[in-house]
Amino acid sequence: AVMVGVCLDEGDAGAAKALVATEQLSGEQIYDPLGPQSKFATQLKMAEPGLIYVADAGGVIRSVSARNNLPEVLSTLSIR
């Protein structure tokens, strides 16, 4: 499994990048100064921070509400 973080902060991503470094977060991080108006955020209809989207190995989004039940959602995926 690969975790991808999407920063919805508008403008300078310095604070978000510092947090990622301090917390040693793994996975990929996406920063766009347009924040929630960025192409990526609008395509995924990311309206607010703190959401967890889960996509399978083929890139198909399987959950858009995994924030409170991530282990359960991940257990339904076949991870290769």
Side-chain angles (χ1 to χ4, degrees):
V2 175
M3 297 298 284
V4 178
V6 179
C7 178
L8 294 181
D9 295 346
E10 293 183 50
D12 181 24
K17 290 179 179 182
L19 176 68
V20 168
T22 299
E23 297 297 325
Q24 299 178 347
L25 300 178
S26 63
E28 299 295 322
Q29 305 298 321
I30 298 172
Y31 306 97
D32 189 314
L34 295 176
Q37 312 319 316
S38 70
K39 182 178 178 180
F40 189 79
T42 56
Q43 285 178 333
L44 290 177
K45 296 179 176 48
M46 300 175 87
E48 60 188 83
L51 298 176
I52 298 178
Y53 291 75
V54 177
D56 65 16
V60 176
I61 295 178
R62 299 297 179 182
S63 175
V64 296
S65 58
R67 184 175 188 175
N68 296 320
N69 64 342
L70 184 59
E72 179 184 330
V73 171
L74 292 177
S75 71
T76 66
L77 299 177
S78 129
I79 299 177
R80 300 169 194 181

